[in-house]
Amino acid sequence: AVVYTSGFFTIYWCIFMFGYFGPLAPRGKSAMVPSKSGPSQRVAFANRCVCFCHATTDVITCLYILFQYQGKSDVSHRKFLPVAYDQMSDPDFHWVLPVLMGYCLADSVYMMCFERDWLMIVHHIAVVCGVAPLYLYPYGWMLCIVATFCAEITNPLQNTWQYTRDYGPKWVYQMLSLPFTLAFFLVRGIVMPIFLVDYNMFMFAEENPKIGPNNLLAIRVCVGIFTMGWFGSLVWLQGVVGGYIKYRRKVAAKAKEALASKAQ
């Protein structure tokens, strides 16, 4: 686990360096100056490259694993969603959880150096603490696969939206605002709560004779961390939806003023 996690940690920082020094990196003096509320445009661009690559590869990999396993899994014992969380860990995909842990650690280092988002740092460290034990146990990895897919599915859109909001071009930010707000609300406000209910039904309302008590305890701790993370994401959800509503009201007010000035 340490070797895999360290390897992916290094890969993510290599992507960061490529984003910072690569041909697509923002140039000019203005791109090198830190903003009042965050890093310089060039540093932010490099970080968004890392986040975008991580989210995209995670979503594709998790979707492939779900496609491979769920279709042939026995879900007759499930009481809610037909998802088999009691799939035994597959050695061929043993590297998937270290991908998540490596990213969380790499992004935590970035946050400590450039953005100082302590809430996100705590979130990342908590995810590592929750996921690491499941790497060592035979059961629980499928639950992490599903949770990772739900957590990352909106992130490619979110990273592009956030970057263009802070650094432009503004027309891209305006174009992405509605689809991102809807997607974020759908996933964080509807899909994730449904899966959290399903996780808890799997752990507390169903019999899991294959899973040992220590393994089941590790799964419960991980789900508890995921649940706290979801409650924390409600703050982001409120900010995204509330911000979009304010933005639309502002646009409508400007349009109304423009019509009034023309009428005069």
Side-chain angles (χ1 to χ4, degrees):
V2 173
V3 174
Y4 274 135
T5 302
S6 300
F8 286 113
F9 176 92
T10 304
I11 289 172
Y12 285 127
W13 273 101
C14 289
I15 296 173
F16 178 90
M17 299 304 291
F18 179 80
Y20 188 85
F21 293 106
L24 298 178
R27 306 293 177 181
K29 292 183 179 180
S30 61
M32 304 295 290
V33 179
S35 65
K36 293 181 180 180
S37 59
S40 68
Q41 181 180 4
R42 195 165 179 176
V43 168
F45 177 81
N47 175 254
R48 299 302 183 266
C49 287
V50 174
C51 297
F52 190 91
C53 290
H54 166 71
T56 304
T57 53
D58 257 14
V59 167
I60 293 173
T61 303
C62 291
L63 189 62
Y64 174 77
I65 292 173
L66 290 171
F67 177 77
Q68 286 287 100
Y69 282 90
Q70 295 304 318
K72 57 184 180 182
S73 300
D74 179 17
V75 293
S76 59
H77 61 290
R78 294 304 324 279
K79 295 182 179 181
F80 190 30
L81 299 180
V83 181
Y85 300 122
D86 55 353
Q87 277 285 354
M88 183 174 284
S89 179
D90 188 337
D92 291 340
F93 296 103
H94 218 45
W95 50 269
V96 173
L97 297 188
V99 169
L100 176 60
M101 294 188 286
Y103 169 75
C104 287
L105 294 176
D107 201 48
S108 295
V109 172
Y110 166 80
M111 291 289 176
M112 286 187 281
C113 293
F114 297 107
E115 291 197 28
R116 302 294 174 88
D117 187 341
W118 296 108
L119 179 61
M120 183 60 73
I121 293 172
V122 171
H123 165 73
H124 283 335
I125 300 302
V127 168
V128 173
C129 292
V131 170
L134 296 184
Y135 180 84
L136 306 174
Y137 283 110
Y139 296 98
W141 78 296
M142 184 59 70
L143 187 145
C144 291
I145 295 298
V146 175
T148 301
F149 177 80
C150 292
E152 298 293 344
I153 186 65
T154 59
N155 280 359
L157 185 60
Q158 178 178 350
N159 282 291
T160 308
W161 174 79
Q162 285 180 327
Y163 180 82
T164 54
R165 178 195 62 189
D166 296 335
Y167 303 102
K170 289 298 181 183
W171 68 269
V172 177
Y173 162 68
Q174 293 169 351
M175 180 182 68
L176 294 178
S177 288
L178 178 59
F180 168 65
T181 301
L182 293 175
F184 200 73
F185 175 79
L186 174 65
V187 174
R188 301 279 173 163
I190 299 175
V191 175
M192 278 191 175
I194 292 174
F195 274 103
L196 286 174
V197 171
D198 195 48
Y199 294 162
N200 283 276
M201 290 192 68
F202 170 74
M203 292 186 301
F204 297 106
E206 299 175 8
E207 294 184 2
N208 299 289
K210 295 188 295 184
I211 304 177
N214 291 335
N215 196 162
L216 188 60
L217 177 61
I219 293 174
R220 287 173 177 173
V221 170
C222 188
V223 170
I225 291 173
F226 288 164
T227 302
M228 289 187 289
W230 175 74
F231 276 111
S233 73
L234 292 179
V235 177
W236 301 334
L237 179 61
Q238 188 276 332
V240 169
V241 175
Y244 182 75
I245 292 173
K246 289 180 181 178
Y247 165 73
R248 292 308 307 171
R249 287 175 178 172
K250 189 176 180 180
V251 170
K254 285 185 177 180
K256 189 174 181 179
E257 289 178 6
L259 287 174
S261 61
K262 284 183 178 180
Q264 293 176 356

